[in-house]
Amino acid sequence: MEKDKHLGLRIDFETHKKLKSLAEFDGRSINGEVLYFIRQAIAHHEQKNGPLK
């Protein structure tokens, strides 16, 4: 079974503050919110261009 991967991300204070607000509004952690956005972007891409490998 593969382990989860770690991704370090540097963001400015304002973006972090707004991301935290979004996450709290959606009942997610900041990590969960970022994963949600990434998965949404992948789904959108695949819908337009077909499955990724």
Side-chain angles (χ1 to χ4, degrees), residues 6-50:
H6 175 82
L7 175 66
L9 177 66
R10 285 187 214 160
I11 58 173
D12 62 88
F13 177 78
E14 272 304 305
T15 302
H16 183 272
K17 186 171 80 170
K18 290 178 181 184
L19 179 60
K20 183 177 179 185
S21 292
L22 280 173
E24 289 173 354
F25 181 82
D26 291 335
R28 298 183 181 104
S29 66
I30 292 175
N31 187 73
E33 192 76 359
V34 170
L35 282 173
Y36 172 78
F37 289 143
I38 291 169
R39 288 175 179 144
Q40 290 288 77
I42 290 169
H44 178 75
H45 176 86
E46 288 184 327
Q47 198 171 40
K48 285 180 67 177
N49 304 294

Side-chain angles (χ1 to χ4, degrees), residues 1-6:
M1 182 174 178
E2 284 193 41
K3 294 183 181 182
D4 290 343
K5 300 292 182 184
H6 175 82

